[in-house]
Amino acid sequence: MAGRHAWLGEPGRRSKTRPGLASSPFPSPSPRIPPLPLPHLNRKVSIMAITKIHARQIFDSRGNPTVEVDLTTDKGLYRAAVPSGASTGIHEALELRDGDKTNYVGKGVTKAVSNVNDIIAPELIKAGLDVTQQKEIDDFLIKLDGTPNKGKLGANAILGVSMAVANAGAAQKGVPLYQHLAELAGVKPPYVLPVPCMNVINGGSHAGNKLAFQEFMIVPTGAATFTESMKVGTEVYHNLKNVIKAKYGIDATNVGDEGGFAPNVSGAEESLELLVEAIAKAGYEGKVKIALDVASSEFYKDGKYDLDFKNPNSDPSKWLSGPELADLYLGFVKKYPIISIEDPFDQDDWEAWSHFTKNSPIQIVGDDLTVTNPLRIKTAIEKKACNGLLLKINQIGTISESIQAAQLSQSDGWGVMVSHRSGETEDTFISDLVIALRTGQIKTGAPARSERVAKYNRLLRIEDELNLAGGKPAFAQDKGFSAGLTPPPLKQ
């Protein structure tokens, strides 16, 4: 469609705004999403430049170093911490690690920290840009790096600064972070609370069991509010713990990186049966859907898929072709209340993606396939490879590009699931981001481990703030999900 990818900077393309309204730095990527008036246009905001930027090395939830950035203006100090993934796509922006095996087993980020302190900080301060100029600052950082994948300075260095700038911009305008981000994206109220997608059974690279599929999530779409969805989700989680303990022993209830359980199940169907049983025991049949993150690039070998990839002696004759794996998924969809499947095929197996998406009635999410990268998303749109985006801010490295990626996906009728990483911190930025973009779905682990629960607690606080302000905030339920060729109701 003409104009769909106009934000990518095609010559001669300009966004249109209504007379008298300020232009958003993120033009509407489609006639389906018209330019929206930005709230608080009459608010007087004085120019607030950056006076100091300081980065340091801290630790994420897996005990690995990550980057934290403090950004100072005349108004105060604003902090951001960068997440890190375990199963990462080959097309992601570069997370800069030191590679010195004698220190932090090669996972140190002192180079990225130095790049913030010695290169980014002096140049960005000298530029004198106002902290509310998110797009201009992010473009400045991209140009300063000068590589396609942020490989010079490191996406972790750049993202820490980009996030801190957004926090400072919100404070400068005197509004919550979600409101500031919504204004940047041209999204107006009412705000919508997302349904949580809770990873409660772990496999793949996140677990030591035989399970090939990486995540099995519960999605409380039948709740009436976000608060109720957390009640439903936590009660199913605790019932699942009891079911697993009874079947596999107490050792099987130890939790993984994202708070989920990793019982020694034989395969995906056994895991799905556990979820169905836990949902029933909690009394929520019909109110809880299931979502999968297969992370199939982890077990893609020689053009086929090895569901026994953790066995060094797996039988190649049992490896599945793309169409065979698609048939397996479709069988699960018919038998279980599955609403979404993420990364069902390898990140470069485009043919399998397109075949499955064409024949599937649910949301098919690209993660390793799309890596929050507008160029990969554009290709996926052209190939009709999926109908959902997993939005991970550290895959692309700036907040502006993350907003652009979401808008491009939404312009083609995709659902957008805002996501954490397996290596998280107490930073709750993505909770505000999912409200701002009104995508209606967030994936941030089980209701366990404080770095996961911090995101849920932030959403509970936002819901409470909106209630106290006099308006009952909407809850997305299943309205943020695409379904086959049907776009999410939230975006229609």
Side-chain angles (χ1 to χ4, degrees), residues 29 44 58 111 130 139 209 309 324 371 376 397 433 468 487:
K44 292 183 179 179
I58 63 168
K111 291 179 182 177
D130 183 79
D139 285 347
N209 55 17
F309 78 104
E324 288 171 336
V371 293
R376 296 280 298 184
L433 183 63
L468 290 173

Side-chain angles (χ1 to χ4, degrees), residues 86-424:
S87 59
T88 54
I90 60 174
H91 303 290
E92 292 189 25
L94 180 75
E95 179 185 67
L96 185 61
R97 298 280 182 180
D98 296 343
D100 179 2
K101 297 296 184 183
T102 64
N103 286 294
Y104 305 107
V105 293
K107 299 277 191 178
V109 292
T110 60
K111 291 179 182 177
V113 167
S114 295
N115 286 343
V116 174
N117 293 334
D118 301 335
I119 300 175
I120 294 175
E123 292 296 326
L124 189 53
I125 291 169
K126 185 168 64 176
L129 293 167
D130 183 79
V131 289
T132 61
Q133 296 177 281
Q134 187 75 40
K135 182 70 163 61
E136 290 82 355
I137 289 175
D138 286 342
D139 285 347
F140 181 90
L141 296 172
I142 292 167
K143 185 176 180 181
L144 187 64
D145 176 85
T147 67
N149 68 341
K150 300 177 178 66
K152 178 183 175 184
L153 299 175
N156 45 347
I158 292 170
L159 179 61
V161 176
S162 183
M163 293 169 66
V165 166
N167 287 328
Q172 172 60 15
K173 290 160 67 175
V175 301
L177 178 59
Y178 61 84
Q179 183 174 334
H180 173 52
L181 294 173
E183 291 174 4
L184 290 176
V187 176
K188 67 177 181 178
Y191 300 111
V192 178
L193 273 294
V195 67
C197 303
M198 300 176 169
N199 175 17
V200 294
I201 294 182
N202 299 169
S205 296
H206 291 175
N209 55 17
K210 297 177 181 178
L211 192 57
F213 294 7
Q214 187 164 278
E215 297 176 11
F216 293 76
M217 293 169 271
I218 51 173
V219 188
T221 55
T225 64
F226 181 76
T227 293
E228 186 186 349
S229 77
M230 290 301 298
K231 177 180 185 291
V232 173
T234 54
E235 289 179 6
V236 172
Y237 179 75
H238 292 303
N239 274 276
L240 177 63
K241 180 177 182 178
N242 291 333
V243 169
I244 290 173
K245 180 179 177 182
K247 289 179 183 282
Y248 306 98
I250 194 169
D251 288 350
T253 60
N254 293 332
V255 299
D257 287 349
E258 299 179 7
F261 306 114
N264 192 25
V265 293
S266 58
E269 186 143 19
E270 189 174 344
S271 300
L272 291 166
E273 289 291 340
L274 289 174
L275 292 186
V276 168
E277 183 177 349
I279 292 167
K281 284 184 178 296
Y284 292 119
E285 284 182 290
K287 297 188 75 170
V288 180
K289 302 288 188 183
I290 295 171
L292 307 178
D293 174 10
V294 181
S296 58
S297 293
E298 300 291 320
F299 54 84
Y300 186 61
K301 299 178 180 178
D302 302 324
K304 290 199 172 184
Y305 296 89
D306 177 15
L307 298 183
D308 192 27
F309 78 104
K310 298 181 186 180
N311 175 6
N313 300 312
S314 68
D315 183 356
S317 69
K318 294 182 180 178
W319 299 357
L320 302 179
S321 66
E324 288 171 336
L325 186 56
D327 287 342
L328 181 68
Y329 296 141
L330 290 172
F332 290 155
V333 170
K334 289 178 182 177
K335 187 174 180 181
Y336 301 100
I338 295 173
I339 194 171
S340 179
I341 299 179
E342 175 188 332
D343 277 351
F345 303 100
D346 179 71
Q347 55 213 342
D348 290 314
D349 192 0
W350 292 100
E351 184 178 350
W353 278 90
S354 299
H355 167 79
F356 184 49
T357 299
K358 180 181 178 181
N359 293 286
S360 172
I362 63 168
Q363 177 173 273
I364 307 303
V365 177
D367 175 17
D368 291 345
L369 181 80
T370 46
V371 293
T372 316
N373 185 314
L375 295 177
R376 296 280 298 184
I377 294 167
K378 185 177 179 181
T379 301
I381 288 172
E382 291 167 352
K383 292 180 180 290
K384 301 185 187 305
C386 58
N387 59 9
L389 173 73
L390 198 74
L391 181 64
K392 292 176 173 175
I393 55 177
N394 80 320
Q395 284 184 326
I396 190 64
T398 67
I399 300 308
S400 300
E401 288 170 294
S402 298
I403 292 172
Q404 291 169 348
Q407 290 182 329
L408 176 59
S409 303
Q410 290 170 326
S411 77
D412 199 60
W414 291 16
V416 176
M417 183 183 289
V418 175
S419 176
H420 65 165
R421 298 307 300 257
S422 58
E424 267 296 340

Side-chain angles (χ1 to χ4, degrees), residues 397-476:
T398 67
I399 300 308
S400 300
E401 288 170 294
S402 298
I403 292 172
Q404 291 169 348
Q407 290 182 329
L408 176 59
S409 303
Q410 290 170 326
S411 77
D412 199 60
W414 291 16
V416 176
M417 183 183 289
V418 175
S419 176
H420 65 165
R421 298 307 300 257
S422 58
E424 267 296 340
T425 72
E426 62 274 24
D427 194 294
T428 61
F429 192 99
I430 62 171
S431 299
D432 285 77
L433 183 63
V434 72
I435 297 285
L437 297 179
R438 207 193 311 154
T439 70
Q441 44 182 318
I442 187 170
K443 170 173 127 170
T444 186
R449 298 185 53 134
S450 58
E451 76 280 357
R452 315 292 156 184
V453 177
K455 279 71 165 170
Y456 294 130
N457 285 343
R458 171 59 182 156
L459 287 166
L460 288 167
R461 294 181 189 114
I462 292 173
E463 183 182 43
D464 193 43
E465 288 170 13
L466 294 172
N467 276 318
L468 290 173
K472 183 179 179 181
F475 175 61

